[in-house]
Structures are given as structure tokens and as C-alpha cells.
Amino acid sequence: MLQEESDLSLVIAQIVQKLKGSSLYAQLERQAWASLQRPEIKLESLKEDIKEYFKISGWEKKLQNAVYSELSVFPSPSHPAAPPEHLKEPLVYMRKAQGSWEKRILKSLNSMCTELSIPLARKRPVGEQKELLNKWNEMGTDEPDLSLFRPVYAPKDFLEVLINLRNPNYENGDSLSFRTHLGLIQVPLKVKDIPELKEFFVELGLTTGQLGIDDSTQVPPELFENEHVRIGQKVLAEQDSAAAQQYIRQGSPTALRAELWALILNISSQPEDILYYEQLKTNVIQHDLLVDSLIYKDVKLTASNDDYYFVFEDYLYQVLLCFSRDTSVLGHFAYNSASPPKSYIRGKLGLEEYAVFYPPNVAPLCFLYHEPSKLYQIFREMYVRFFFRLHSISSHPSGIVSLCLLFETLLQTYLPQLFYHLREIGAQPLRISFKWMVRAFSGYLATDQLLLLWDRILGYNSLEILAVLAAAVFAFRAVNLMEVTSLAAAEAVLADLSTLKVMPLLQIFLFATVT
């Protein structure tokens, strides 16, 4: 009990410290001073009167939302004497693996710089700055020669690193079970089984109304959809982040999604946010980083060739180029197993966030937000809250290692014949599903289905649903997969996911499968 109280005190102190540096704190301070002029504020009951004023004027709700937002990314309580690296990642072998992976990426970047005789970062000449500024809104029309630039790594390279992960304290051939040897991931992490997943995703149950099922044309809207929309409008009117997160577990109505996501992520377009985005844009125009060419190449190879996302090519360049300069992103490294590489331009710090991006993670947001600074804020918050876990090695339940293990465990446990068959023909299921999970299914599902899936990621503050959906896709195509005799044939069966409906697949796998 005493330990819990001390943990809570520590969490409160750290959140207070974090909020003291925010613009909200300055606004609250200004409001408190301004309220002293109001007749209802009495000196003898000053504290209570100001608290009441904050409540009535809506500032209390804004503070609650800010605290809730901080709590959603706050690392789990650890021992007070734990070193900072333990907060980033408690397992030493995971930290070492992440460090090795970063060194490999940096070595690849440095060798590319040496081969091409280009710097990691340089200041653009004035003429080049003007040219970039003039074509800022039509960068997609630019066709730079990127043939010499190679991708720093592909998803399959990252998967090989994860496959080779081992816990040195567990390296004993006799103690490993038969089932452990079947899968590619060989680290002993705790992942949820179906009963635990049912409990965690209880709002996805068969008896609960769901957007993605109960809003189909065959279902009269008065049975669920109309009431769900009405409740959503009420949640937005209340401006309560916690209520919005609970609400979105049943899916978000299309018309309300942009506002609901912004509320959950505690994003509001203040003048200072727009100014900050403009400063990042200025930084892009003034300085050229190696990562800029990699972003161009990535977007050209992915989103530019995508039937859904090619129209957003200019937005993608703007958001990702600004993201690569945003030093506020450094804050998430406090709870990320990764460490940021640094690049210096005449004494100025330039940030390179990994130097590898997955632009489709931005692209779906373009359907919701058309104002660049708002789109940028939402993407940045989605990245530092969720997506970074898909690109770094850690033991976190939403980390890519745990998601791979969860996927393999679900398939081995509930579809053992399929798993064994695919393994025997050299088509390990994870080799097919890894690219879906590392991109959060972006670029694979139809956009409306992808947004319904991401609703649930936000609603449950967890990426575990990605592994569940990956297993559900294999279950759905199990009959066809049992007929294949090679990896190429298995990939062909699972090549097109664009016709799949996310919510029925998840419900059937979690709640209608006999376990």
C-alpha cells in the first residue's frame, strides 16, 4: 500500500514537472491572475474560488485532458533507484540488440554518405532555399535522381534481427519447449492468450454494437448507428479525452473521427502550434539532410504508387520533412528503447529520427486532416504514442517483438494444423504477416477499414490488436492456405487484403472461435 502511494506521488510529481513547461501551464497562470478581477473571487476563499472558476470556464477539463494524455504514455512505475536506461527498456539483452541495430543503420548511412560524397547535413544555398519555398505545396512534381540512394533497411532485414534475438539467461536447449521451436521468435516474453484478449477487448464482443458491422446497409440505422452518433456528439461537446477514448472502442462515425482523434490525443490547433509548424518548415527550407532524399525515395516507392494515397504525396513530404527536424520528438526517447542519432550543422543540432520512415503511417491521416499543421500534430502524436514501437526493439507489450510473439502464439495455439503445415513447406506465417504489423496494416487494408482498426488502437491505447487481426486473417484464409505447397503460393493467397472487413474478422476470431 505504501509502495503504491509512493509510486503515485512520483508519477504526480513527474507529470506536474512536465506540465510546468507546457503552454497550458502559462495559460492557466494567466487565467488565474485574470480571475482575481472577478467579483465572485474572494480573498478568504481564494483557492476554492479559483478552482470553481476553472471548473465553470472549462479550464479544469483542459487540465484533466492534459494529465490523461501524459498518463497514456507514462512508463510503468519502476524502482526509485533504477537507472534511466532501465526506464527505456528493462531487459539488458533488448537494449543491446537495439543498440546494435542502431549502429548497423548508422553504418549504412555513413557508408552511403562516403560513397556518394554527400554530407549528413548541410545548409542550403539561398537560391535553393527560394526554389524549395516556391514549390513547397507541389513537391510531388519534383523528380530528383534518387537511383544512387538505397533504402537503409527493409522490413525483412528488421525481421531477421528479431528472429535472432535470444535471452542469454534462457539459453538452454533442454528447457525450451517443442512449441517454442515452431515459431521464429525465440524470446520468452509474456503475451496474452485468447481469454485474456477477450477480457481486454471486451467492448468488441458479439453483444456490443460496433461501427464496421452494425452500420452496414442491411442494418437499420435506428438500431445502433443513430444513437452512437448522438453519444459521439455529446462526448465532443463535453471535450473529455477519457470519455472519447472509451467511446471510440466501438468505432468512430466518419463525420466525427477527426475531432475525436484530436481530443483523445489532446491536440488543439493553438496559434503557437501553427507557428511551431512554420518554424519546422523554415528549418527544412534552410537545411538539407541526407534523410530528405531517403524520405523522397520512400514516398516515391510506396504512397506514390498506392491507389488510395497517391493524391496526398505533397502532404507526405511536408509532414515527414518537418518531422525529421522536430526536436520535441526527442522527449519520447525517455520511454523508447531507441536513442536518437545526432547531426550537426555549424554548431546547430539537426535531428534525424532513425533516418527510415514508413510514409503509409502518415497517409491515412490525410483523409481526416487537410490543414498541414493539424495533420502534422496528429501524426507526431500518433508516432510518439504508438508507431515508434513498431520500429524499435523492446519488451513492451505493444512493441514489435511482443506483437510477433503474440501472433505466432495465437496461430500455434488455435490453428496448430495450419501453423505446422505452413512451417513444413517453408512458409513461416510471420514472414508474411510481419510487413502488415510493422506498417500497422497501412497500405494493405481499404482506408475505411484501416481507420476502423486505428479507432481501436486509440481506444485501447495498445497495438496488440494488430497481431490479433493478423492471426484472424490467417484463420479466415485457412482453407486456401492448407492447399498451398510453397511460400510464394501462401503469399499469393494473402496478397490482397483490400476486400477484408476488419471488425467481423476480429469478432469471429476472438469471440466466436471455440477455445
Side-chain angles (χ1 to χ4, degrees):
M1 189 67 182
L2 285 172
Q3 179 62 41
E4 283 180 17
E5 285 179 11
S6 67
D7 286 346
L8 185 60
S9 300
L10 190 65
V11 168
I12 291 168
Q14 288 178 304
I15 288 178
V16 167
Q17 192 62 37
K18 186 102 181 273
L19 291 178
K20 274 186 175 178
S22 69
S23 61
L24 176 64
Y25 182 80
Q27 290 172 325
L28 287 169
E29 208 169 33
R30 280 199 299 273
Q31 287 297 320
W33 279 107
S35 70
L36 296 176
Q37 312 296 324
R38 303 178 72 86
E40 65 267 28
I41 307 292
K42 304 287 191 292
L43 191 59
E44 57 272 17
S45 55
L46 186 65
K47 188 176 177 182
E48 294 307 315
D49 288 350
I50 289 179
K51 281 166 73 175
E52 186 60 28
Y53 167 70
F54 277 172
K55 193 172 186 175
I56 294 165
S57 58
W59 285 100
E60 183 187 60
K61 189 72 76 177
K62 289 181 181 179
L63 180 58
Q64 283 176 354
N65 289 345
V67 171
Y68 190 73
S69 179
E70 289 297 331
L71 283 171
S72 65
V73 296
F74 206 81
S76 303
S78 60
H79 193 278
E85 62 267 22
H86 189 86
L87 293 176
K88 289 163 71 70
E89 168 53 55
L91 298 178
V92 176
Y93 74 93
M94 288 280 185
R95 290 205 298 269
K96 284 183 177 174
Q98 176 62 30
S100 300
W101 176 237
E102 287 169 19
K103 283 176 185 169
R104 180 173 158 183
I105 291 171
L106 286 173
K107 186 178 178 183
S108 176
L109 277 173
N110 285 325
S111 66
M112 200 188 312
C113 288
T114 306
E115 285 169 28
L116 303 179
S117 301
I118 54 172
L120 275 168
R122 69 178 179 90
K123 190 170 172 89
R124 297 184 201 272
V126 176
E128 194 179 319
Q129 289 184 32
K130 285 180 181 174
E131 187 185 349
L132 181 57
L133 185 60
N134 290 335
K135 65 180 183 189
W136 180 256
N137 292 317
E138 46 190 48
M139 282 191 277
T141 59
D142 202 14
E143 293 288 345
D145 180 18
L146 301 171
S147 55
L148 296 174
F149 289 91
R150 59 177 184 272
V152 181
Y153 72 90
K156 63 180 181 182
D157 302 323
F158 191 32
L159 176 59
E160 289 305 320
V161 172
L162 303 188
I163 290 169
N164 290 317
L165 269 178
R166 295 290 183 277
N167 182 343
N169 302 321
Y170 206 77
E171 197 62 60
N172 182 343
D174 300 330
S175 66
L176 291 172
S177 68
F178 171 68
R179 189 203 291 175
T180 312
H181 278 297
L182 286 177
L184 293 174
I185 302 298
Q186 299 284 320
V187 289
L189 296 176
K190 173 76 175 79
V191 293
K192 294 182 177 77
D193 57 17
I194 288 241
E196 289 170 316
L197 289 168
K198 281 181 180 176
E199 190 178 338
F200 184 68
F201 293 115
V202 66
E203 292 86 356
L204 304 187
L206 299 170
T207 56
T208 311
Q210 300 290 334
L211 287 186
I213 296 176
D214 299 303
D215 54 338
S216 65
T217 49
Q218 292 85 8
V219 181
E222 58 270 16
L223 290 182
F224 169 70
E225 192 178 1
N226 291 351
E227 178 64 8
H228 192 61
V229 170
R230 190 188 66 76
I231 295 169
Q233 290 165 339
K234 193 174 178 182
V235 166
L236 284 174
E238 287 290 319
Q239 283 296 294
D240 188 322
S241 291
Q245 190 169 34
Q246 180 65 37
Y247 169 82
I248 212 170
R249 291 179 178 190
Q250 291 174 262
S252 170
T254 305
L256 307 182
R257 183 174 279 122
E259 288 181 79
L260 283 166
W261 284 21
L263 178 55
I264 292 167
L265 298 169
N266 199 34
I267 300 292
S268 57
S269 282
Q270 302 292 330
E272 59 264 29
D273 296 319
I274 297 166
L275 181 62
Y276 186 70
Y277 175 77
E278 289 300 320
Q279 287 172 339
L280 293 174
K281 176 180 168 182
T282 302
N283 202 316
V284 173
I285 287 162
Q286 289 179 347
H287 299 107
D288 179 26
L289 304 183
L290 169 68
V291 76
D292 297 352
S293 298
L294 297 173
I295 288 169
Y296 267 108
K297 183 141 190 167
D298 242 359
V299 173
K300 290 289 183 194
L301 290 175
T302 53
S304 300
N305 298 320
D306 191 286
D307 292 344
Y308 295 114
Y309 304 130
F310 72 94
V311 292
F312 301 124
E313 189 178 348
D314 296 328
Y315 274 163
L316 298 181
Y317 291 129
Q318 291 170 17
V319 168
L320 289 169
L321 289 171
C322 286
F323 185 68
S324 67
R325 270 75 170 177
D326 192 347
T327 50
S328 73
V329 175
L330 290 167
H332 93 286
F333 286 106
Y335 52 88
N336 179 356
S337 62
S339 301
K342 297 178 179 68
S343 167
Y344 294 92
I345 312 170
R346 294 181 187 171
K348 282 191 78 172
L349 176 66
L351 167 69
E352 286 182 56
E353 168 62 35
Y354 264 167
V356 175
F357 294 87
Y358 289 84
N361 280 351
V362 192
L365 301 175
C366 298
F367 282 99
L368 304 182
Y369 305 98
H370 308 299
E371 204 274 303
S373 69
K374 185 76 173 278
L375 170 64
Y376 177 74
Q377 287 179 75
I378 296 287
F379 167 68
R380 181 181 64 192
E381 195 59 31
M382 289 285 279
Y383 186 88
V384 300
R385 199 179 282 203
F386 301 112
F387 295 146
F388 79 89
R389 298 200 184 280
L390 301 175
H391 311 144
S392 52
I393 301 168
S394 78
S395 59
H396 193 277
S398 282
I400 191 64
V401 183
S402 293
L403 297 187
C404 291
L405 188 58
L406 175 58
F407 165 76
E408 289 196 321
T409 305
L410 288 173
L411 273 194
Q412 286 180 56
T413 309
Y414 300 105
L415 295 162
Q417 284 180 298
L418 174 63
F419 192 95
Y420 188 72
H421 168 68
L422 291 174
R423 182 178 174 274
E424 285 301 291
I425 63 166
Q428 277 279 10
L430 185 59
R431 293 200 182 276
I432 299 169
S433 68
F434 183 74
K435 58 184 180 290
W436 306 338
M437 293 190 287
V438 89
R439 295 188 178 198
F441 280 90
S442 182
Y444 297 102
L445 294 172
T447 307
D448 62 325
Q449 297 302 307
L450 183 73
L451 295 175
L452 286 167
L453 176 66
W454 286 13
D455 281 343
R456 276 67 181 193
I457 289 175
L458 280 159
Y460 289 97
N461 198 38
S462 165
L463 293 168
E464 288 164 301
I465 203 163
L466 299 177
V468 178
L469 179 60
V473 171
F474 272 78
F476 181 64
R477 297 266 167 90
V479 174
N480 304 80
L481 288 170
M482 287 299 289
E483 303 294 321
V484 301
T485 55
S486 67
L487 174 60
E491 285 179 329
V493 168
L494 295 164
D496 183 14
L497 308 186
S498 62
T499 57
L500 298 183
K501 302 295 181 190
V502 165
M503 292 318 300
L505 282 180
L506 287 169
Q507 276 198 335
I508 290 166
F509 187 78
L510 283 175
F511 297 97
T513 305
V514 178
T515 58

